[in-house]
Amino acid sequence: MTEEEIIKGCQNGREKCQKMLYDQHSKLVMGIALRFAKNENDAYDIFQDAFLKVFLYIKNFKFLGSFEGWVRKIAVTTAISWYRKQVSERKNEIEIELVEDYPELSIDDEIEISLDEMLKMVNELPDGYRMVFNLFAIDGYKHEEIAAMLNISEGTSRSQFFKAKHVLQKKIIEKYKFN
Amino acid sequence: MKEVGQYFKEKLDQYKPDVTEQFWTKIQNDKGLKKFNRTALIKRALLYYITPVSIVLITGAVLWSISNNQNPDLKTVEVLTIQNNTISEPTEPQQEPYTTPVASMESEPTVSKREQSSVSISKPDPTNKNNNPVISKNEPVSKNKPVQNTTTEPNLNPTTIKTTPANNSKQPDLVKNNTPKPSQTEPKTSIPDTTEAIEEERAHLSTDPDEDKKLFIPKGFTPNNDGKNDLFFVYADWEVDSFEITIYQRGGIIVYKSNDIQQGWDGLFQNMDAPQGAYVYIITYKNQKGDDKMLKGTLNLIR
């Protein structure tokens, strides 16, 4: 079955096609969920929410652009709404940074870090840092878009991204100082 | 050296960990998804099965109703042609067939039970066959004779009944009574035959208490203001409850409607003379037991 047939089958509510779609895209969604969440349990919740959304809103997919991109977007938005839910429970911290130019932070690309460790580092970032870092560095959103999505100012987005990078760099250097 | 963001992107962008099956079963059993699948299934069923089937059924029903509607039309046309042929002959004795059944029906209570009537039939049969010559010369001996004379009018031509005794007894039809040619040409025959025939007719007309009494509905009328059969009446010898008569043109237009059995149709429709031809009537009434009955048939309007 081609991807289009599978998608159409899902649009008609056929369980077989839903299973096939799940097999094709579950890894991608799980990868996104894992790096946006603070821990694994949260990631599983995000994963499940995202996949349900894929199945329930697949009617709206009009075959414009790639389906993988569509799934990816749904996963990211699900993660964002998950984050918003958690933020609304706490007080909204307002952070204004006036610094415009951030120095470039870089690490030696010879350092080999395992994926699990990388993921752990990202997960350990504070919530705001993690969201901005994921959205900007990995998913390729612009600061404008991130500011709108997370309901923060563009400056906050920039500063949080810089701080996140700084934290990550520190961690890596600490770990591999003596290598 | 590499920028930190770039470094992470390269590895995490395509990060695709294995996913265990337990998440699929959770998603599969989600209520929202199940509902979605169910509605989609119903939609599919509607689109692919129920709609085509219903279309086929509806077209079939329409075709069937069309073919059913055509049949009565054809029948009325046939009846019209047949009856017009027969009625075009001189119509002098027309009024008699109408009055005969009424007269006989009025006197029916005298022969109330089937046993009596059957006896009255069976008696004359052997006597007539055996004693034909004797009776033909003399006056008829049977007890019933005087009764017949009183009930049936003297005008009634005995030969007409003799020629078509069976038909006459079953239905006092206008058409069948209206073929009196032989009566005019033939001489009068023996009386016992007529008594037999009349007796038979009476026996059929007489009603059991067990059986339903029937309405007498003439097959036609002549609204030409000549004092004879100017109105279309339905006759009944009991008080009919919830009587309703509706007369239709062949096109289905109601030309006359009434709840009064005493009221007859004068052949007018919207204060104009309705054209000669066949009309369809539908009569609903309650019989003596109180059951609802419906009669359908055609009547002829002759001018």
Side-chain angles (χ1 to χ4, degrees):
Chain A
M1 270 177 117
T2 63
E3 191 184 42
E4 193 175 328
E5 282 171 341
I6 293 170
I7 292 165
K8 280 189 174 159
C10 290
Q11 285 170 343
N12 288 328
R14 290 181 198 272
E15 213 165 87
K16 251 188 190 175
C17 299
Q18 284 171 345
K19 171 69 175 154
M20 286 164 113
L21 196 86
Y22 175 85
D23 288 341
Q24 281 180 11
H25 297 282
S26 59
K27 288 180 179 179
L28 170 83
V29 176
M30 188 55 106
I32 295 167
L34 278 173
R35 72 187 147 85
F36 271 97
K38 195 188 272 178
N39 52 48
E40 281 196 347
N41 282 333
D42 282 4
Y44 296 154
D45 282 348
I46 291 170
F47 171 80
Q48 208 160 311
D49 274 12
F51 245 101
L52 273 177
K53 274 186 190 171
V54 167
F55 287 137
L56 294 182
Y57 296 104
I58 202 164
K59 284 183 287 185
N60 303 341
F61 184 68
K62 296 288 191 297
F63 297 96
L64 309 168
S66 78
F67 184 70
E68 199 184 301
W70 188 76
V71 171
R72 194 182 269 268
K73 202 170 178 184
I74 283 188
V76 170
T77 45
T78 312
I80 290 168
S81 61
W82 183 262
Y83 162 77
R84 275 211 199 121
K85 236 190 260 171
Q86 299 211 324
V87 166
S88 67
E89 284 167 11
R90 285 178 275 141
K91 274 189 181 177
N92 221 341
E93 297 157 30
I94 299 167
E95 193 175 343
I96 301 166
E97 294 286 327
L98 295 175
V99 188
E100 282 300 311
D101 296 322
Y102 295 101
E104 198 173 84
L105 298 171
S106 51
I107 47 170
D108 195 348
D109 56 352
E110 282 175 9
I111 296 174
E112 290 272 332
I113 312 173
S114 72
L115 266 173
D116 285 341
E117 268 181 84
M118 256 181 160
L119 205 64
K120 205 184 164 193
M121 283 177 197
V122 173
N123 287 349
E124 281 168 357
L125 288 171
D127 283 343
Y129 294 5
R130 192 175 63 245
M131 295 308 292
V132 174
F133 180 79
N134 268 320
L135 288 169
F136 187 86
I138 299 164
D139 294 312
Y141 288 91
K142 289 170 189 167
H143 283 301
E144 263 179 60
E145 294 169 323
I146 295 165
M149 280 193 282
L150 299 181
N151 208 8
I152 54 177
S153 74
E154 220 181 301
T156 314
S157 173
R158 277 178 210 280
S159 74
Q160 284 193 337
F161 176 57
F162 176 76
K163 282 175 183 171
K165 277 200 289 187
H166 194 74
V167 172
L168 289 172
Q169 191 193 30
K170 252 188 187 173
K171 278 185 179 172
I172 292 167
I173 290 167
E174 253 174 49
K175 203 157 197 184
Y176 299 97
K177 210 190 262 176
F178 307 107
N179 291 3
Chain B
M1 294 296 275
K2 235 175 200 172
E3 213 266 336
V4 177
Q6 190 66 30
Y7 185 83
F8 274 82
K9 183 185 167 89
E10 272 170 16
K11 296 208 167 169
L12 284 184
D13 196 23
Q14 294 305 318
Y15 176 55
K16 288 178 180 176
D18 286 332
V19 183
T20 52
E21 282 292 304
Q22 72 186 70
F23 296 111
W24 168 243
T25 52
K26 267 189 184 177
I27 289 168
Q28 204 178 9
N29 294 326
D30 186 84
K31 277 181 187 174
L33 188 65
K34 279 192 169 177
K35 197 182 168 189
F36 172 83
N37 286 354
R38 229 179 297 135
T39 52
L41 183 80
I42 290 164
K43 272 185 194 169
R44 249 183 301 153
L46 274 174
L47 194 66
Y48 295 114
Y49 301 103
I50 294 169
T51 320
V53 166
S54 59
I55 286 168
V56 168
L57 283 178
I58 288 164
T59 49
V62 167
L63 288 174
W64 181 76
S65 65
I66 288 168
S67 62
N68 252 21
N69 280 342
Q70 281 171 351
N71 286 339
D73 278 346
L74 291 172
K75 273 179 197 169
T76 51
V77 171
E78 280 168 19
V79 169
L80 182 72
T81 51
I82 293 163
Q83 293 188 352
N84 273 345
N85 288 340
T86 54
I87 289 158
S88 59
E89 288 164 10
T91 55
E92 280 175 8
Q94 262 184 10
Q95 70 188 73
E96 285 147 14
Y98 294 133
T99 49
T100 45
V102 177
S104 61
M105 280 166 90
E106 279 167 358
S107 66
E108 267 165 19
T110 57
V111 197
S112 56
K113 286 181 181 177
R114 184 182 276 172
E115 292 169 9
Q116 288 180 6
S117 61
S118 63
V119 168
S120 65
I121 296 170
S122 60
K123 267 186 182 176
D125 275 350
T127 53
N128 286 339
K129 281 171 186 173
N130 296 329
N131 306 325
N132 246 349
V134 182
I135 293 162
S136 64
K137 285 169 188 173
N138 301 326
E139 282 183 5
V141 194
S142 64
K143 291 174 187 175
N144 296 318
K145 211 231 163 183
V147 182
Q148 293 153 15
N149 283 338
T150 53
T151 54
T152 61
E153 324 90 309
N155 292 346
L156 187 64
N157 205 334
T159 51
T160 60
I161 297 164
K162 188 212 164 188
T163 50
T164 59
N167 290 335
N168 244 348
S169 53
K170 277 178 184 170
Q171 296 176 327
D173 281 355
L174 173 67
V175 182
K176 283 153 190 172
N177 279 337
N178 257 340
T179 50
K181 267 197 172 178
S183 72
Q184 289 168 357
T185 54
E186 276 181 22
K188 286 189 177 180
T189 49
S190 58
I191 301 162
D193 281 359
T194 67
T195 60
E196 183 191 351
I198 292 167
E199 200 50 50
E200 211 171 320
E201 183 190 11
R202 278 178 44 72
H204 277 277
L205 280 170
S206 70
T207 50
D208 280 343
D210 302 334
E211 266 179 26
D212 294 336
K213 285 193 176 182
K214 281 171 184 170
L215 294 170
F216 172 66
I217 303 152
K219 285 278 177 181
F221 71 119
T222 58
N224 49 8
N225 291 326
D226 64 349
K228 294 173 181 175
N229 302 318
D230 281 342
L231 295 175
F232 177 78
F233 276 111
V234 176
Y235 303 96
D237 62 339
W238 78 99
E239 229 172 83
V240 185
D241 279 338
S242 60
F243 173 85
E244 188 181 314
I245 178 165
T246 318
I247 299 174
Y248 298 90
Q249 269 185 357
R250 268 184 300 157
I253 302 160
I254 296 172
V255 292
Y256 175 73
K257 193 170 188 175
S258 172
N259 292 323
D260 188 3
I261 196 165
Q262 302 294 338
Q263 199 185 331
W265 186 36
D266 52 2
L268 290 181
F269 174 50
Q270 293 176 348
N271 292 325
M272 303 270 287
D273 285 347
Q276 173 164 328
Y279 291 80
V280 179
Y281 61 80
I282 295 176
I283 295 168
T284 56
Y285 66 102
K286 276 192 177 163
N287 67 1
Q288 282 175 313
K289 289 175 189 170
D291 301 329
D292 286 323
K293 293 274 177 184
M294 188 167 84
L295 292 173
K296 292 178 188 172
T298 55
L299 65 105
N300 275 294
L301 198 161
I302 305 142
R303 290 196 186 277

